[in-house]
Amino acid sequence: MATAKTSLSKFRALRVFQESDGTCRHEIVTRSVEELPPDDLLIDVHYSSLNYKDALSATGAPGVTRHYPHTPGIDAVGSVLESNTDEYQRGDIIIVTGFRLGMDRDGGFGQRIRVPAHWAVRKPEGLSLNESMIMGTAGLTAALCVEKLSRLGMSPEGGPVVVTGSTGGVGSCAVGLLSHLGYEVHAVTGKTTHHEFLRSLGAQAIYGREEFMDGSQRALLRETWGGVMDTVGGEMLMHAIKGLRYGCSAAACGLVSSPKFPGSVFPFILRNVNLLGVDTAETPTAERKRMWERLASQWKFPQLEQLQSLYNLETVMAGVDRLLKGEMVGRGVVKLVR
């Protein structure tokens, strides 16, 4: 049965206000749950995480969040306070990532959220609340990339897998996960001072951006990669595809460098390679559940806590600034509970 309603309570949230000139200001405010839109579940948020979309939403980037004031946070984990469905009961611990949370629905940088039941996934037993947000959207994205590439034949025996943007959220999760699954991982990064961090996650070779892009004017490169996980987009994605082995695939899940895709069809028709798009925000609930169960069990890599930089509501905007400057390494986790 659906749970009885709890008494309405106050909660703290980071609110982003957009001024008439388009600039944004930020304020930690006290809100009432009455201000949240009605929906199936009222959640007491324990942790959120810091993603590139959150940084864009928090700074008023065009086309990301259209209505202000707003609370960012595309990820959240916490306990059910109220449920209007029989699927979840008060006290259930759930994870919410993607959909419209933190975009046009007040998100995880507030201690309460209301969401539809189909946005929610029960937190698996093998992950703590904190660990689930170290993973968050980034870990789920990395897992979906590995899953899709594997369906097209990627295996540890098929050659090294290259991960671009490897010190970022998705990239660092990908390096740790692939290494844990037995792959030879080659990492590409512009952060020359974080090679040891990548080695600790299991990277066996590390390339600077310029080194990796050597020969970028050529139509094809030597067949090297058994798979590509690209978080960058643009020329780096095309360059990685040129070095895929015959019949292998690249998964594209980011565009931090560019949304454009320059290049030719030569790798696709001469080497029979594949480019796979990976979306996390609208992934069906059943697929999310399956991936979260894997991330909590056989796909949970031992270096997970090494990825974490911990923030709270008072400090999260410093994390936003670091992320937008390209200084963030690993995963920013936002603690909402006192």
Side-chain angles (χ1 to χ4, degrees), residues 188 207-222 224-225 235-236 238-240 242-243:
V188 182
Y207 306 90
R209 290 173 187 158
E210 294 77 13
E211 178 186 8
F212 182 73
M213 293 296 291
D214 185 41
S216 60
Q217 300 307 311
R218 294 163 57 187
L220 288 171
L221 299 170
R222 181 171 62 88
T224 303
W225 316 119
E235 293 183 357
M236 187 168 288
M238 187 63 219
H239 188 72
K242 293 175 187 178

Side-chain angles (χ1 to χ4, degrees), residues 142-152 154 287 290-291 294 299:
L144 289 168
C145 287
V146 172
E147 170 75 1
K148 203 164 191 179
L149 288 164
S150 298
R151 289 177 188 169
L152 268 289
M154 187 180 77
E287 180 75 354
R290 195 163 66 87
M291 288 295 100
R294 284 188 175 184
W299 283 15

Side-chain angles (χ1 to χ4, degrees), residues 107-176:
F109 293 0
Q111 293 173 321
R112 302 284 188 275
I113 57 173
R114 271 205 177 106
V115 296
H118 75 271
W119 288 12
V121 172
R122 278 189 174 82
K123 181 189 71 64
E125 289 294 329
L127 287 174
S128 69
L129 281 81
N130 176 241
E131 288 173 334
S132 72
M133 287 295 98
I134 299 176
M135 288 287 192
T137 286
L140 181 60
T141 301
L144 289 168
C145 287
V146 172
E147 170 75 1
K148 203 164 191 179
L149 288 164
S150 298
R151 289 177 188 169
L152 268 289
M154 187 180 77
S155 69
E157 297 74 35
V161 178
V162 66
V163 179
T164 66
S166 55
T167 59
V170 178
S172 57
C173 286
V175 172

Side-chain angles (χ1 to χ4, degrees), residues 188-207:
V188 182
T189 180
K191 296 181 173 69
T192 58
T193 58
H194 290 91
H195 288 196
E196 191 54 43
F197 167 74
L198 291 169
R199 291 190 187 95
S200 73
L201 295 179
Q204 296 184 34
I206 302 170
Y207 306 90

Side-chain angles (χ1 to χ4, degrees), residues 32-47:
S32 168
V33 294
E34 294 177 307
E35 298 175 54
L36 298 174
D39 224 314
D40 298 327
L41 304 175
L42 175 65
I43 309 301
D44 177 21
V45 180
H46 291 212
Y47 292 90

Side-chain angles (χ1 to χ4, degrees), residues 58-322:
T59 53
V64 178
T65 295
R66 294 178 173 82
H67 303 289
Y68 291 87
H70 174 68
T71 298
I74 67 171
D75 293 346
V77 64
S79 57
V80 175
L81 293 176
E82 296 174 5
S83 173
N84 293 328
T85 75
D86 292 333
E87 185 176 0
Y88 295 104
Q89 306 298 319
R90 182 181 173 90
D92 288 347
I93 305 299
I94 65 168
I95 298 170
V96 183
T97 61
F99 293 104
R100 299 190 304 278
L101 187 70
M103 296 289 101
D104 60 15
R105 173 70 63 96
D106 286 333
F109 293 0
Q111 293 173 321
R112 302 284 188 275
I113 57 173
R114 271 205 177 106
V115 296
H118 75 271
W119 288 12
V121 172
R122 278 189 174 82
K123 181 189 71 64
E125 289 294 329
L127 287 174
S128 69
L129 281 81
N130 176 241
E131 288 173 334
S132 72
M133 287 295 98
I134 299 176
M135 288 287 192
T137 286
L140 181 60
T141 301
L144 289 168
C145 287
V146 172
E147 170 75 1
K148 203 164 191 179
L149 288 164
S150 298
R151 289 177 188 169
L152 268 289
M154 187 180 77
S155 69
E157 297 74 35
V161 178
V162 66
V163 179
T164 66
S166 55
T167 59
V170 178
S172 57
C173 286
V175 172
L177 174 57
L178 287 164
S179 176
H180 178 62
L181 295 178
Y183 288 87
E184 179 183 339
V185 183
H186 291 195
V188 182
T189 180
K191 296 181 173 69
T192 58
T193 58
H194 290 91
H195 288 196
E196 191 54 43
F197 167 74
L198 291 169
R199 291 190 187 95
S200 73
L201 295 179
Q204 296 184 34
I206 302 170
Y207 306 90
R209 290 173 187 158
E210 294 77 13
E211 178 186 8
F212 182 73
M213 293 296 291
D214 185 41
S216 60
Q217 300 307 311
R218 294 163 57 187
L220 288 171
L221 299 170
R222 181 171 62 88
E223 294 184 46
T224 303
W225 316 119
V228 172
M229 286 184 59
D230 177 72
T231 72
V232 174
E235 293 183 357
M236 187 168 288
L237 170 58
M238 187 63 219
H239 188 72
I241 289 171
K242 293 175 187 178
L244 276 170
R245 295 184 178 186
Y246 188 90
C248 292
S249 304
C253 62
L255 42 72
V256 66
S257 173
S258 173
K260 296 182 179 180
F261 184 62
S264 74
V265 297
F266 283 121
F268 301 99
I269 61 177
L270 296 181
R271 290 192 179 156
N272 194 37
V273 302
N274 310 288
L275 175 59
L276 311 175
V278 176
D279 165 69
T280 306
E282 298 293 332
T283 299
T285 303
E287 180 75 354
R288 291 170 183 268
K289 290 178 179 178
R290 195 163 66 87
M291 288 295 100
W292 278 112
E293 289 293 342
R294 284 188 175 184
L295 288 169
S297 53
Q298 68 266 35
W299 283 15
K300 183 179 179 181
F301 54 93
Q303 309 95 326
L304 186 58
E305 291 193 4
Q306 292 178 211
L307 305 185
Q308 177 178 249
S309 296
L310 193 61
Y311 297 92
N312 55 34
L313 289 181
E314 284 75 20
T315 61
V316 67
M317 286 308 300
V320 166
D321 186 56
R322 288 187 63 204

